[in-house]
Amino acid sequence: QVQLVESGGGLVQAGGSLRLSCAASGRTFSNNAMGWFRQAPGKEREFVAAINRSGRNTYYADSVKGRFTISRDNAKNAVYLQMNSLKPEDTAVYVCAARLTPSQMVYDYDYWGRGTQVTVSS
């Protein structure tokens, strides 16, 4: 079992930055790949970024490539999402998730947090 709690969301102007954190409980954090997803009102949940267990391999949606960076610290049981050059269309609830191997598919993930709201004003 893995419990996930996100933090770091907030209101930021377009062009600004935020760093999201996802704290994981349980002894098996380093055995899991981690992903970040987001869901805007009236839209389906979509893939943002993923990272493998060691942190050596990362994956990004085209819409955030070059602006967002996913990283992890297995000693702290945490995964992060650094978001730069934010745009109003990045506004959404951001949720972290865990599974054995990286995936861009929502239904592949076994564990989910509750999310943190990110609002980007124009």
Side-chain angles (χ1 to χ4, degrees):
Q1 282 281 6
V2 178
Q3 287 79 44
L4 304 171
V5 179
E6 302 90 341
S7 62
L11 173 64
V12 64
Q13 288 188 335
S17 298
L18 281 175
R19 188 192 193 210
L20 305 183
S21 299
C22 175
S25 63
R27 299 178 180 177
T28 58
F29 175 76
S30 60
N31 291 339
N32 285 273
M34 301 296 296
W36 282 99
F37 291 78
R38 66 188 182 186
Q39 188 164 16
K43 295 187 177 181
E44 293 186 353
R45 185 167 292 186
E46 65 174 4
F47 169 75
V48 175
I51 189 167
N52 72 340
R53 286 175 282 181
S54 69
R56 291 178 182 176
N57 296 325
T58 57
Y59 311 85
Y60 297 95
D62 288 343
S63 59
V64 307
K65 203 171 292 183
R67 299 188 298 123
F68 290 11
T69 302
I70 188 171
S71 61
R72 67 188 295 161
D73 186 337
N74 287 342
K76 295 183 177 179
N77 280 10
V79 63
Y80 308 99
L81 186 69
Q82 177 67 43
M83 306 186 296
N84 298 329
S85 302
L86 282 161
K87 304 175 181 180
E89 51 263 43
D90 294 319
T91 295
V93 174
Y94 283 72
V95 186
C96 68
R99 73 181 302 266
L100 191 60
T101 56
S103 172
Q104 299 185 21
M105 301 300 180
V106 172
Y107 51 78
D108 280 345
Y109 283 78
D110 302 308
Y111 306 102
W112 292 88
R114 292 189 175 185
T116 184
Q117 176 70 47
V118 171
T119 303
V120 184
S121 63
S122 57

